[in-house]
Amino acid sequence: MDTHTRVNQALKQAMKDKAAERLCTLRLINAAIKDREIAARADGEEGGIGEEEILAILGKMTKQRKESARAYEEGGRLDLAERELGEIAVIEEFLPQQLSDEEAEDAVKAAVAETGAESIRDMGKVMAALKSKYTGQMDFGKAGPMVKDQLCSKGGC
């Protein structure tokens, strides 16, 4: 079952359970997916959006909420930070399990070997390979420095 279908089923269940906060977050997810589908149709993509794009949307939503929660905590608004963290928990239900640091390191090494990257100029190729395989499973903000370290260790800096 694809992620969009799972979100819709969870939305219906949240309505039945009268879980207001969960329902609100699920509606936000659904709206983000529909917005992207509309944009894709405007760009001439008739088939809608794929699973990979949905996972990218969810990853972006999670990242935004983590940043907001951090800002709220720094501002002393713990109530708003808790709400953001609650939304993160709901969104993460639909993301695949995140790779551990060791698994991410192994994935970076494999992507460098697979693409034949030898210098920092090849970083884009490596990142593209990682994104095609690990969308939703890896924090690419952390993966970038790992790739750079890996390429620099080969003497390509």
Side-chain angles (χ1 to χ4, degrees):
M1 173 176 355
D2 72 335
T3 304
H4 197 204
T5 305
R6 288 180 32 226
V7 169
N8 285 328
Q9 288 180 343
L11 184 76
K12 290 175 189 173
Q13 189 60 45
M15 284 184 206
K16 290 177 186 174
D17 297 343
K18 294 184 171 69
E21 290 180 21
R22 180 174 173 78
L23 182 60
C24 183
T25 304
L26 291 168
R27 283 181 173 155
L28 286 171
I29 294 169
N30 221 4
I33 292 170
K34 286 183 180 178
D35 283 347
R36 182 63 193 106
E37 286 177 339
I38 290 168
R41 274 184 275 164
D43 292 340
E45 298 172 29
E46 293 298 321
I49 62 172
E51 188 73 12
E52 192 172 295
E53 276 190 83
I54 292 173
L55 294 177
I57 290 168
L58 295 176
K60 183 178 180 183
M61 291 177 77
T62 302
K63 184 178 178 183
Q64 289 170 338
R65 277 151 185 79
K66 285 179 182 177
E67 290 170 2
S68 296
R70 187 171 42 251
Y72 287 140
E73 286 174 0
E74 290 171 3
R77 297 294 310 266
L78 298 180
D79 56 327
L80 294 175
E82 281 184 34
R83 190 176 81 202
E84 295 290 330
L85 294 174
E87 287 183 4
I88 290 170
V90 173
I91 295 168
E92 285 181 341
E93 290 176 27
F94 302 99
L95 286 171
Q97 186 173 356
Q98 295 290 305
L99 295 177
S100 68
D101 288 340
E102 295 80 29
E103 291 171 325
E105 191 81 32
D106 291 342
V108 167
K109 288 177 184 174
V112 167
E114 179 182 305
T115 59
E118 294 187 11
S119 73
I120 201 74
R121 289 187 214 149
D122 298 325
M123 188 167 173
K125 287 185 211 171
V126 177
M127 292 300 288
L130 289 171
K131 284 183 180 183
S132 70
K133 284 188 179 178
Y134 299 104
T135 298
Q137 294 178 299
M138 179 183 279
D139 180 358
F140 294 106
K142 292 179 182 176
M146 285 185 202
V147 171
K148 191 172 183 179
D149 291 344
Q150 187 71 29
L151 293 174
C152 285
S153 70
K154 287 184 155 190
C157 284

mmCIF file with all atom_site columns, all heavy atoms in Angstrom, residues 3 5 14 19 23 33 36 41 44 47 49 60 66-67 81 87-89 93 96 106 111 120-121 125-126 134 150:
data_model
loop_
_atom_site.group_PDB
_atom_site.id
_atom_site.type_symbol
_atom_site.label_atom_id
_atom_site.label_alt_id
_atom_site.label_comp_id
_atom_site.label_asym_id
_atom_site.label_entity_id
_atom_site.label_seq_id
_atom_site.pdbx_PDB_ins_code
_atom_site.Cartn_x
_atom_site.Cartn_y
_atom_site.Cartn_z
_atom_site.occupancy
_atom_site.B_iso_or_equiv
_atom_site.pdbx_formal_charge
_atom_site.auth_seq_id
_atom_site.auth_comp_id
_atom_site.auth_asym_id
_atom_site.auth_atom_id
_atom_site.pdbx_PDB_model_num
ATOM 1   N N   . THR A 1 3   ? 2.055   5.295  0.350   1.00 0.00 ? 3   THR A N   1
ATOM 2   C CA  . THR A 1 3   ? 2.006   6.219  1.483   1.00 0.00 ? 3   THR A CA  1
ATOM 3   C C   . THR A 1 3   ? 0.758   7.092  1.440   1.00 0.00 ? 3   THR A C   1
ATOM 4   O O   . THR A 1 3   ? 0.132   7.330  2.475   1.00 0.00 ? 3   THR A O   1
ATOM 5   C CB  . THR A 1 3   ? 3.272   7.095  1.493   1.00 0.00 ? 3   THR A CB  1
ATOM 6   O OG1 . THR A 1 3   ? 4.412   6.234  1.521   1.00 0.00 ? 3   THR A OG1 1
ATOM 7   C CG2 . THR A 1 3   ? 3.309   7.983  2.710   1.00 0.00 ? 3   THR A CG2 1
ATOM 8   N N   . THR A 1 5   ? -2.192  6.433  0.266   1.00 0.00 ? 5   THR A N   1
ATOM 9   C CA  . THR A 1 5   ? -3.334  5.635  0.702   1.00 0.00 ? 5   THR A CA  1
ATOM 10  C C   . THR A 1 5   ? -3.300  5.447  2.215   1.00 0.00 ? 5   THR A C   1
ATOM 11  O O   . THR A 1 5   ? -4.337  5.540  2.891   1.00 0.00 ? 5   THR A O   1
ATOM 12  C CB  . THR A 1 5   ? -3.327  4.257  -0.004  1.00 0.00 ? 5   THR A CB  1
ATOM 13  O OG1 . THR A 1 5   ? -3.287  4.470  -1.412  1.00 0.00 ? 5   THR A OG1 1
ATOM 14  C CG2 . THR A 1 5   ? -4.542  3.445  0.373   1.00 0.00 ? 5   THR A CG2 1
ATOM 15  N N   . ALA A 1 14  ? -8.653  8.783  12.193  1.00 0.00 ? 14  ALA A N   1
ATOM 16  C CA  . ALA A 1 14  ? -8.551  9.895  13.144  1.00 0.00 ? 14  ALA A CA  1
ATOM 17  C C   . ALA A 1 14  ? -9.897  10.608 13.278  1.00 0.00 ? 14  ALA A C   1
ATOM 18  O O   . ALA A 1 14  ? -10.266 11.067 14.369  1.00 0.00 ? 14  ALA A O   1
ATOM 19  C CB  . ALA A 1 14  ? -7.469  10.870 12.704  1.00 0.00 ? 14  ALA A CB  1
ATOM 20  N N   . ALA A 1 19  ? -9.658  12.289 17.124  1.00 0.00 ? 19  ALA A N   1
ATOM 21  C CA  . ALA A 1 19  ? -8.321  12.712 17.555  1.00 0.00 ? 19  ALA A CA  1
ATOM 22  C C   . ALA A 1 19  ? -7.980  14.007 16.813  1.00 0.00 ? 19  ALA A C   1
ATOM 23  O O   . ALA A 1 19  ? -7.441  13.980 15.708  1.00 0.00 ? 19  ALA A O   1
ATOM 24  C CB  . ALA A 1 19  ? -7.305  11.623 17.253  1.00 0.00 ? 19  ALA A CB  1
ATOM 25  N N   . LEU A 1 23  ? -5.674  14.508 13.508  1.00 0.00 ? 23  LEU A N   1
ATOM 26  C CA  . LEU A 1 23  ? -6.446  14.823 12.319  1.00 0.00 ? 23  LEU A CA  1
ATOM 27  C C   . LEU A 1 23  ? -5.904  16.072 11.631  1.00 0.00 ? 23  LEU A C   1
ATOM 28  O O   . LEU A 1 23  ? -5.755  16.106 10.406  1.00 0.00 ? 23  LEU A O   1
ATOM 29  C CB  . LEU A 1 23  ? -7.918  15.017 12.695  1.00 0.00 ? 23  LEU A CB  1
ATOM 30  C CG  . LEU A 1 23  ? -8.888  15.311 11.561  1.00 0.00 ? 23  LEU A CG  1
ATOM 31  C CD1 . LEU A 1 23  ? -8.892  14.172 10.557  1.00 0.00 ? 23  LEU A CD1 1
ATOM 32  C CD2 . LEU A 1 23  ? -10.273 15.541 12.121  1.00 0.00 ? 23  LEU A CD2 1
ATOM 33  N N   . ILE A 1 33  ? 0.618   16.987 -0.124  1.00 0.00 ? 33  ILE A N   1
ATOM 34  C CA  . ILE A 1 33  ? 0.683   16.024 -1.232  1.00 0.00 ? 33  ILE A CA  1
ATOM 35  C C   . ILE A 1 33  ? -0.171  16.509 -2.402  1.00 0.00 ? 33  ILE A C   1
ATOM 36  O O   . ILE A 1 33  ? 0.258   16.487 -3.558  1.00 0.00 ? 33  ILE A O   1
ATOM 37  C CB  . ILE A 1 33  ? 0.247   14.616 -0.763  1.00 0.00 ? 33  ILE A CB  1
ATOM 38  C CG1 . ILE A 1 33  ? 1.279   14.054 0.227   1.00 0.00 ? 33  ILE A CG1 1
ATOM 39  C CG2 . ILE A 1 33  ? 0.067   13.677 -1.953  1.00 0.00 ? 33  ILE A CG2 1
ATOM 40  C CD1 . ILE A 1 33  ? 0.839   12.787 0.931   1.00 0.00 ? 33  ILE A CD1 1
ATOM 41  N N   . ARG A 1 36  ? 1.433   19.360 -4.301  1.00 0.00 ? 36  ARG A N   1
ATOM 42  C CA  . ARG A 1 36  ? 2.506   18.889 -5.181  1.00 0.00 ? 36  ARG A CA  1
ATOM 43  C C   . ARG A 1 36  ? 1.933   18.210 -6.425  1.00 0.00 ? 36  ARG A C   1
ATOM 44  O O   . ARG A 1 36  ? 2.471   18.345 -7.513  1.00 0.00 ? 36  ARG A O   1
ATOM 45  C CB  . ARG A 1 36  ? 3.432   17.950 -4.410  1.00 0.00 ? 36  ARG A CB  1
ATOM 46  C CG  . ARG A 1 36  ? 4.599   17.449 -5.210  1.00 0.00 ? 36  ARG A CG  1
ATOM 47  C CD  . ARG A 1 36  ? 5.519   18.603 -5.644  1.00 0.00 ? 36  ARG A CD  1
ATOM 48  N NE  . ARG A 1 36  ? 6.430   18.140 -6.651  1.00 0.00 ? 36  ARG A NE  1
ATOM 49  C CZ  . ARG A 1 36  ? 6.349   18.429 -7.943  1.00 0.00 ? 36  ARG A CZ  1
ATOM 50  N NH1 . ARG A 1 36  ? 5.425   19.236 -8.403  1.00 0.00 ? 36  ARG A NH1 1
ATOM 51  N NH2 . ARG A 1 36  ? 7.214   17.932 -8.796  1.00 0.00 ? 36  ARG A NH2 1
ATOM 52  N N   . ARG A 1 41  ? 0.816   18.446 -12.262 1.00 0.00 ? 41  ARG A N   1
ATOM 53  C CA  . ARG A 1 41  ? -0.089  18.502 -13.414 1.00 0.00 ? 41  ARG A CA  1
ATOM 54  C C   . ARG A 1 41  ? 0.121   19.777 -14.213 1.00 0.00 ? 41  ARG A C   1
ATOM 55  O O   . ARG A 1 41  ? 0.054   19.767 -15.438 1.00 0.00 ? 41  ARG A O   1
ATOM 56  C CB  . ARG A 1 41  ? -1.551  18.395 -12.974 1.00 0.00 ? 41  ARG A CB  1
ATOM 57  C CG  . ARG A 1 41  ? -1.983  16.948 -12.842 1.00 0.00 ? 41  ARG A CG  1
ATOM 58  C CD  . ARG A 1 41  ? -3.429  16.869 -12.511 1.00 0.00 ? 41  ARG A CD  1
ATOM 59  N NE  . ARG A 1 41  ? -3.464  17.017 -11.041 1.00 0.00 ? 41  ARG A NE  1
ATOM 60  C CZ  . ARG A 1 41  ? -4.524  17.307 -10.332 1.00 0.00 ? 41  ARG A CZ  1
ATOM 61  N NH1 . ARG A 1 41  ? -5.676  17.501 -10.914 1.00 0.00 ? 41  ARG A NH1 1
ATOM 62  N NH2 . ARG A 1 41  ? -4.465  17.399 -9.035  1.00 0.00 ? 41  ARG A NH2 1
ATOM 63  N N   . GLY A 1 44  ? 2.833   19.462 -16.555 1.00 0.00 ? 44  GLY A N   1
ATOM 64  C CA  . GLY A 1 44  ? 2.616   18.518 -17.637 1.00 0.00 ? 44  GLY A CA  1
ATOM 65  C C   . GLY A 1 44  ? 2.817   17.063 -17.266 1.00 0.00 ? 44  GLY A C   1
ATOM 66  O O   . GLY A 1 44  ? 2.779   16.192 -18.120 1.00 0.00 ? 44  GLY A O   1
ATOM 67  N N   . GLY A 1 47  ? 0.868   11.636 -14.715 1.00 0.00 ? 47  GLY A N   1
ATOM 68  C CA  . GLY A 1 47  ? 0.777   10.485 -13.822 1.00 0.00 ? 47  GLY A CA  1
ATOM 69  C C   . GLY A 1 47  ? 0.729   10.826 -12.342 1.00 0.00 ? 47  GLY A C   1
ATOM 70  O O   . GLY A 1 47  ? 0.666   9.947  -11.513 1.00 0.00 ? 47  GLY A O   1
ATOM 71  N N   . ILE A 1 49  ? 2.286   12.265 -8.716  1.00 0.00 ? 49  ILE A N   1
ATOM 72  C CA  . ILE A 1 49  ? 3.611   12.177 -8.106  1.00 0.00 ? 49  ILE A CA  1
ATOM 73  C C   . ILE A 1 49  ? 3.843   10.773 -7.570  1.00 0.00 ? 49  ILE A C   1
ATOM 74  O O   . ILE A 1 49  ? 2.902   10.064 -7.230  1.00 0.00 ? 49  ILE A O   1
ATOM 75  C CB  . ILE A 1 49  ? 3.801   13.230 -6.993  1.00 0.00 ? 49  ILE A CB  1
ATOM 76  C CG1 . ILE A 1 49  ? 2.814   13.018 -5.849  1.00 0.00 ? 49  ILE A CG1 1
ATOM 77  C CG2 . ILE A 1 49  ? 3.683   14.624 -7.548  1.00 0.00 ? 49  ILE A CG2 1
ATOM 78  C CD1 . ILE A 1 49  ? 3.067   13.904 -4.643  1.00 0.00 ? 49  ILE A CD1 1
ATOM 79  N N   . LYS A 1 60  ? 10.659  16.851 4.330   1.00 0.00 ? 60  LYS A N   1
ATOM 80  C CA  . LYS A 1 60  ? 10.741  18.312 4.416   1.00 0.00 ? 60  LYS A CA  1
ATOM 81  C C   . LYS A 1 60  ? 9.840   18.824 5.538   1.00 0.00 ? 60  LYS A C   1
ATOM 82  O O   . LYS A 1 60  ? 10.236  19.712 6.296   1.00 0.00 ? 60  LYS A O   1
ATOM 83  C CB  . LYS A 1 60  ? 10.327  18.920 3.077   1.00 0.00 ? 60  LYS A CB  1
ATOM 84  C CG  . LYS A 1 60  ? 10.439  20.422 3.031   1.00 0.00 ? 60  LYS A CG  1
ATOM 85  C CD  . LYS A 1 60  ? 10.067  20.957 1.656   1.00 0.00 ? 60  LYS A CD  1
ATOM 86  C CE  . LYS A 1 60  ? 10.172  22.467 1.622   1.00 0.00 ? 60  LYS A CE  1
ATOM 87  N NZ  . LYS A 1 60  ? 9.743   23.002 0.328   1.00 0.00 ? 60  LYS A NZ  1
ATOM 88  N N   . LYS A 1 66  ? 11.029  20.386 13.090  1.00 0.00 ? 66  LYS A N   1
ATOM 89  C CA  . LYS A 1 66  ? 12.151  20.311 14.032  1.00 0.00 ? 66  LYS A CA  1
ATOM 90  C C   . LYS A 1 66  ? 12.767  21.684 14.235  1.00 0.00 ? 66  LYS A C   1
ATOM 91  O O   . LYS A 1 66  ? 13.087  22.069 15.361  1.00 0.00 ? 66  LYS A O   1
ATOM 92  C CB  . LYS A 1 66  ? 13.208  19.321 13.537  1.00 0.00 ? 66  LYS A CB  1
ATOM 93  C CG  . LYS A 1 66  ? 12.818  17.877 13.706  1.00 0.00 ? 66  LYS A CG  1
ATOM 94  C CD  . LYS A 1 66  ? 13.888  16.940 13.191  1.00 0.00 ? 66  LYS A CD  1
ATOM 95  C CE  . LYS A 1 66  ? 13.430  15.495 13.342  1.00 0.00 ? 66  LYS A CE  1
ATOM 96  N NZ  . LYS A 1 66  ? 14.406  14.549 12.787  1.00 0.00 ? 66  LYS A NZ  1
ATOM 97  N N   . GLU A 1 67  ? 12.927  22.435 13.145  1.00 0.00 ? 67  GLU A N   1
ATOM 98  C CA  . GLU A 1 67  ? 13.475  23.783 13.246  1.00 0.00 ? 67  GLU A CA  1
ATOM 99  C C   . GLU A 1 67  ? 12.545  24.693 14.043  1.00 0.00 ? 67  GLU A C   1
ATOM 100 O O   . GLU A 1 67  ? 12.991  25.479 14.875  1.00 0.00 ? 67  GLU A O   1
ATOM 101 C CB  . GLU A 1 67  ? 13.723  24.358 11.845  1.00 0.00 ? 67  GLU A CB  1
ATOM 102 C CG  . GLU A 1 67  ? 14.852  23.691 11.110  1.00 0.00 ? 67  GLU A CG  1
ATOM 103 C CD  . GLU A 1 67  ? 14.958  24.094 9.643   1.00 0.00 ? 67  GLU A CD  1
ATOM 104 O OE1 . GLU A 1 67  ? 14.152  24.945 9.177   1.00 0.00 ? 67  GLU A OE1 1
ATOM 105 O OE2 . GLU A 1 67  ? 15.836  23.552 8.957   1.00 0.00 ? 67  GLU A OE2 1
ATOM 106 N N   . ALA A 1 81  ? 6.326   24.237 21.135  1.00 0.00 ? 81  ALA A N   1
ATOM 107 C CA  . ALA A 1 81  ? 7.352   23.248 20.801  1.00 0.00 ? 81  ALA A CA  1
ATOM 108 C C   . ALA A 1 81  ? 6.782   21.835 20.933  1.00 0.00 ? 81  ALA A C   1
ATOM 109 O O   . ALA A 1 81  ? 7.039   20.985 20.077  1.00 0.00 ? 81  ALA A O   1
ATOM 110 C CB  . ALA A 1 81  ? 8.563   23.416 21.710  1.00 0.00 ? 81  ALA A CB  1
ATOM 111 N N   . GLU A 1 87  ? 3.400   16.808 16.013  1.00 0.00 ? 87  GLU A N   1
ATOM 112 C CA  . GLU A 1 87  ? 3.206   16.708 14.564  1.00 0.00 ? 87  GLU A CA  1
ATOM 113 C C   . GLU A 1 87  ? 4.312   15.871 13.932  1.00 0.00 ? 87  GLU A C   1
ATOM 114 O O   . GLU A 1 87  ? 4.055   15.084 13.023  1.00 0.00 ? 87  GLU A O   1
ATOM 115 C CB  . GLU A 1 87  ? 3.169   18.105 13.934  1.00 0.00 ? 87  GLU A CB  1
ATOM 116 C CG  . GLU A 1 87  ? 1.899   18.865 14.232  1.00 0.00 ? 87  GLU A CG  1
ATOM 117 C CD  . GLU A 1 87  ? 1.835   20.223 13.556  1.00 0.00 ? 87  GLU A CD  1
ATOM 118 O OE1 . GLU A 1 87  ? 2.755   20.552 12.771  1.00 0.00 ? 87  GLU A OE1 1
ATOM 119 O OE2 . GLU A 1 87  ? 0.866   20.942 13.815  1.00 0.00 ? 87  GLU A OE2 1
ATOM 120 N N   . ILE A 1 88  ? 5.534   16.042 14.419  1.00 0.00 ? 88  ILE A N   1
ATOM 121 C CA  . ILE A 1 88  ? 6.656   15.247 13.904  1.00 0.00 ? 88  ILE A CA  1
ATOM 122 C C   . ILE A 1 88  ? 6.387   13.760 14.103  1.00 0.00 ? 88  ILE A C   1
ATOM 123 O O   . ILE A 1 88  ? 6.615   12.951 13.202  1.00 0.00 ? 88  ILE A O   1
ATOM 124 C CB  . ILE A 1 88  ? 7.984   15.659 14.592  1.00 0.00 ? 88  ILE A CB  1
ATOM 125 C CG1 . ILE A 1 88  ? 8.411   17.041 14.130  1.00 0.00 ? 88  ILE A CG1 1
ATOM 126 C CG2 . ILE A 1 88  ? 9.086   14.640 14.299  1.00 0.00 ? 88  ILE A CG2 1
ATOM 127 C CD1 . ILE A 1 88  ? 9.569   17.633 14.918  1.00 0.00 ? 88  ILE A CD1 1
ATOM 128 N N   . ALA A 1 89  ? 5.878   13.399 15.269  1.00 0.00 ? 89  ALA A N   1
ATOM 129 C CA  . ALA A 1 89  ? 5.600   11.984 15.563  1.00 0.00 ? 89  ALA A CA  1
ATOM 130 C C   . ALA A 1 89  ? 4.590   11.414 14.573  1.00 0.00 ? 89  ALA A C   1
ATOM 131 O O   . ALA A 1 89  ? 4.747   10.281 14.090  1.00 0.00 ? 89  ALA A O   1
ATOM 132 C CB  . ALA A 1 89  ? 5.096   11.834 16.992  1.00 0.00 ? 89  ALA A CB  1
ATOM 133 N N   . GLU A 1 93  ? 5.396   8.522  11.238  1.00 0.00 ? 93  GLU A N   1
ATOM 134 C CA  . GLU A 1 93  ? 4.728   7.221  11.092  1.00 0.00 ? 93  GLU A CA  1
ATOM 135 C C   . GLU A 1 93  ? 4.720   6.766  9.639   1.00 0.00 ? 93  GLU A C   1
ATOM 136 O O   . GLU A 1 93  ? 4.658   5.572  9.358   1.00 0.00 ? 93  GLU A O   1
ATOM 137 C CB  . GLU A 1 93  ? 3.273   7.304  11.572  1.00 0.00 ? 93  GLU A CB  1
ATOM 138 C CG  . GLU A 1 93  ? 3.106   7.473  13.042  1.00 0.00 ? 93  GLU A CG  1
ATOM 139 C CD  . GLU A 1 93  ? 1.635   7.630  13.403  1.00 0.00 ? 93  GLU A CD  1
ATOM 140 O OE1 . GLU A 1 93  ? 0.764   7.124  12.653  1.00 0.00 ? 93  GLU A OE1 1
ATOM 141 O OE2 . GLU A 1 93  ? 1.370   8.252  14.442  1.00 0.00 ? 93  GLU A OE2 1
ATOM 142 N N   . PRO A 1 96  ? 9.857   5.804  6.114   1.00 0.00 ? 96  PRO A N   1
ATOM 143 C CA  . PRO A 1 96  ? 10.583  4.568  6.421   1.00 0.00 ? 96  PRO A CA  1
ATOM 144 C C   . PRO A 1 96  ? 11.542  4.824  7.585   1.00 0.00 ? 96  PRO A C   1
ATOM 145 O O   . PRO A 1 96  ? 11.882  5.970  7.886   1.00 0.00 ? 96  PRO A O   1
ATOM 146 C CB  . PRO A 1 96  ? 11.349  4.260  5.142   1.00 0.00 ? 96  PRO A CB  1
ATOM 147 C CG  . PRO A 1 96  ? 11.198  5.424  4.259   1.00 0.00 ? 96  PRO A CG  1
ATOM 148 C CD  . PRO A 1 96  ? 10.169  6.332  4.807   1.00 0.00 ? 96  PRO A CD  1
ATOM 149 N N   . ASP A 1 106 ? 27.956  3.688  5.689   1.00 0.00 ? 106 ASP A N   1
ATOM 150 C CA  . ASP A 1 106 ? 28.113  2.601  4.726   1.00 0.00 ? 106 ASP A CA  1
ATOM 151 C C   . ASP A 1 106 ? 27.441  2.949  3.389   1.00 0.00 ? 106 ASP A C   1
ATOM 152 O O   . ASP A 1 106 ? 27.971  2.650  2.318   1.00 0.00 ? 106 ASP A O   1
ATOM 153 C CB  . ASP A 1 106 ? 27.515  1.300  5.281   1.00 0.00 ? 106 ASP A CB  1
ATOM 154 C CG  . ASP A 1 106 ? 28.307  0.745  6.454   1.00 0.00 ? 106 ASP A CG  1
ATOM 155 O OD1 . ASP A 1 106 ? 29.486  1.147  6.630   1.00 0.00 ? 106 ASP A OD1 1
ATOM 156 O OD2 . ASP A 1 106 ? 27.745  -0.080 7.202   1.00 0.00 ? 106 ASP A OD2 1
ATOM 157 N N   . ALA A 1 111 ? 27.805  4.541  -2.262  1.00 0.00 ? 111 ALA A N   1
ATOM 158 C CA  . ALA A 1 111 ? 27.442  5.477  -3.327  1.00 0.00 ? 111 ALA A CA  1
ATOM 159 C C   . ALA A 1 111 ? 28.681  6.069  -3.988  1.00 0.00 ? 111 ALA A C   1
ATOM 160 O O   . ALA A 1 111 ? 28.710  6.261  -5.209  1.00 0.00 ? 111 ALA A O   1
ATOM 161 C CB  . ALA A 1 111 ? 26.554  6.590  -2.771  1.00 0.00 ? 111 ALA A CB  1
ATOM 162 N N   . ILE A 1 120 ? 35.915  16.235 -5.106  1.00 0.00 ? 120 ILE A N   1
ATOM 163 C CA  . ILE A 1 120 ? 34.795  16.998 -4.566  1.00 0.00 ? 120 ILE A CA  1
ATOM 164 C C   . ILE A 1 120 ? 33.840  17.446 -5.681  1.00 0.00 ? 120 ILE A C   1
ATOM 165 O O   . ILE A 1 120 ? 32.665  17.667 -5.431  1.00 0.00 ? 120 ILE A O   1
ATOM 166 C CB  . ILE A 1 120 ? 35.317  18.194 -3.727  1.00 0.00 ? 120 ILE A CB  1
ATOM 167 C CG1 . ILE A 1 120 ? 34.260  18.703 -2.756  1.00 0.00 ? 120 ILE A CG1 1
ATOM 168 C CG2 . ILE A 1 120 ? 35.788  19.316 -4.604  1.00 0.00 ? 120 ILE A CG2 1
ATOM 169 C CD1 . ILE A 1 120 ? 34.041  17.825 -1.588  1.00 0.00 ? 120 ILE A CD1 1
ATOM 170 N N   . ARG A 1 121 ? 34.340  17.517 -6.903  1.00 0.00 ? 121 ARG A N   1
ATOM 171 C CA  . ARG A 1 121 ? 33.495  17.879 -8.044  1.00 0.00 ? 121 ARG A CA  1
ATOM 172 C C   . ARG A 1 121 ? 32.420  16.830 -8.318  1.00 0.00 ? 121 ARG A C   1
ATOM 173 O O   . ARG A 1 121 ? 31.415  17.129 -8.953  1.00 0.00 ? 121 ARG A O   1
ATOM 174 C CB  . ARG A 1 121 ? 34.334  18.057 -9.300  1.00 0.00 ? 121 ARG A CB  1
ATOM 175 C CG  . ARG A 1 121 ? 35.187  19.280 -9.263  1.00 0.00 ? 121 ARG A CG  1
ATOM 176 C CD  . ARG A 1 121 ? 35.843  19.479 -10.606 1.00 0.00 ? 121 ARG A CD  1
ATOM 177 N NE  . ARG A 1 121 ? 37.157  20.055 -10.398 1.00 0.00 ? 121 ARG A NE  1
ATOM 178 C CZ  . ARG A 1 121 ? 38.193  19.852 -11.152 1.00 0.00 ? 121 ARG A CZ  1
ATOM 179 N NH1 . ARG A 1 121 ? 38.099  19.079 -12.196 1.00 0.00 ? 121 ARG A NH1 1
ATOM 180 N NH2 . ARG A 1 121 ? 39.343  20.420 -10.882 1.00 0.00 ? 121 ARG A NH2 1
ATOM 181 N N   . LYS A 1 125 ? 26.995  13.956 -8.020  1.00 0.00 ? 125 LYS A N   1
ATOM 182 C CA  . LYS A 1 125 ? 26.647  12.608 -8.485  1.00 0.00 ? 125 LYS A CA  1
ATOM 183 C C   . LYS A 1 125 ? 26.350  11.689 -7.301  1.00 0.00 ? 125 LYS A C   1
ATOM 184 O O   . LYS A 1 125 ? 25.405  10.917 -7.334  1.00 0.00 ? 125 LYS A O   1
ATOM 185 C CB  . LYS A 1 125 ? 27.806  11.994 -9.277  1.00 0.00 ? 125 LYS A CB  1
ATOM 186 C CG  . LYS A 1 125 ? 28.043  12.551 -10.639 1.00 0.00 ? 125 LYS A CG  1
ATOM 187 C CD  . LYS A 1 125 ? 29.138  11.725 -11.297 1.00 0.00 ? 125 LYS A CD  1
ATOM 188 C CE  . LYS A 1 125 ? 29.951  12.546 -12.253 1.00 0.00 ? 125 LYS A CE  1
ATOM 189 N NZ  . LYS A 1 125 ? 31.130  11.829 -12.719 1.00 0.00 ? 125 LYS A NZ  1
ATOM 190 N N   . VAL A 1 126 ? 27.206  11.783 -6.284  1.00 0.00 ? 126 VAL A N   1
ATOM 191 C CA  . VAL A 1 126 ? 27.046  10.924 -5.109  1.00 0.00 ? 126 VAL A CA  1
ATOM 192 C C   . VAL A 1 126 ? 25.750  11.267 -4.386  1.00 0.00 ? 126 VAL A C   1
ATOM 193 O O   . VAL A 1 126 ? 24.988  10.373 -4.003  1.00 0.00 ? 126 VAL A O   1
ATOM 194 C CB  . VAL A 1 126 ? 28.263  11.051 -4.163  1.00 0.00 ? 126 VAL A CB  1
ATOM 195 C CG1 . VAL A 1 126 ? 28.063  10.213 -2.920  1.00 0.00 ? 126 VAL A CG1 1
ATOM 196 C CG2 . VAL A 1 126 ? 29.539  10.649 -4.877  1.00 0.00 ? 126 VAL A CG2 1
ATOM 197 N N   . TYR A 1 134 ? 17.760  6.525  -0.971  1.00 0.00 ? 134 TYR A N   1
ATOM 198 C CA  . TYR A 1 134 ? 17.482  6.665  0.462   1.00 0.00 ? 134 TYR A CA  1
ATOM 199 C C   . TYR A 1 134 ? 16.593  7.848  0.811   1.00 0.00 ? 134 TYR A C   1
ATOM 200 O O   . TYR A 1 134 ? 16.631  8.338  1.928   1.00 0.00 ? 134 TYR A O   1
ATOM 201 C CB  . TYR A 1 134 ? 18.805  6.781  1.233   1.00 0.00 ? 134 TYR A CB  1
ATOM 202 C CG  . TYR A 1 134 ? 19.687  5.569  1.062   1.00 0.00 ? 134 TYR A CG  1
ATOM 203 C CD1 . TYR A 1 134 ? 20.801  5.611  0.239   1.00 0.00 ? 134 TYR A CD1 1
ATOM 204 C CD2 . TYR A 1 134 ? 19.391  4.382  1.707   1.00 0.00 ? 134 TYR A CD2 1
ATOM 205 C CE1 . TYR A 1 134 ? 21.606  4.496  0.072   1.00 0.00 ? 134 TYR A CE1 1
ATOM 206 C CE2 . TYR A 1 134 ? 20.180  3.260  1.544   1.00 0.00 ? 134 TYR A CE2 1
ATOM 207 C CZ  . TYR A 1 134 ? 21.288  3.324  0.726   1.00 0.00 ? 134 TYR A CZ  1
ATOM 208 O OH  . TYR A 1 134 ? 22.080  2.225  0.565   1.00 0.00 ? 134 TYR A OH  1
ATOM 209 N N   . GLN A 1 150 ? 34.436  11.643 2.818   1.00 0.00 ? 150 GLN A N   1
ATOM 210 C CA  . GLN A 1 150 ? 34.794  10.442 2.061   1.00 0.00 ? 150 GLN A CA  1
ATOM 211 C C   . GLN A 1 150 ? 35.609  10.793 0.827   1.00 0.00 ? 150 GLN A C   1
ATOM 212 O O   . GLN A 1 150 ? 36.630  10.166 0.535   1.00 0.00 ? 150 GLN A O   1
ATOM 213 C CB  . GLN A 1 150 ? 33.522  9.679  1.666   1.00 0.00 ? 150 GLN A CB  1
ATOM 214 C CG  . GLN A 1 150 ? 33.769  8.349  1.021   1.00 0.00 ? 150 GLN A CG  1
ATOM 215 C CD  . GLN A 1 150 ? 34.289  7.319  1.984   1.00 0.00 ? 150 GLN A CD  1
ATOM 216 O OE1 . GLN A 1 150 ? 33.996  7.362  3.168   1.00 0.00 ? 150 GLN A OE1 1
ATOM 217 N NE2 . GLN A 1 150 ? 35.084  6.402  1.499   1.00 0.00 ? 150 GLN A NE2 1
#
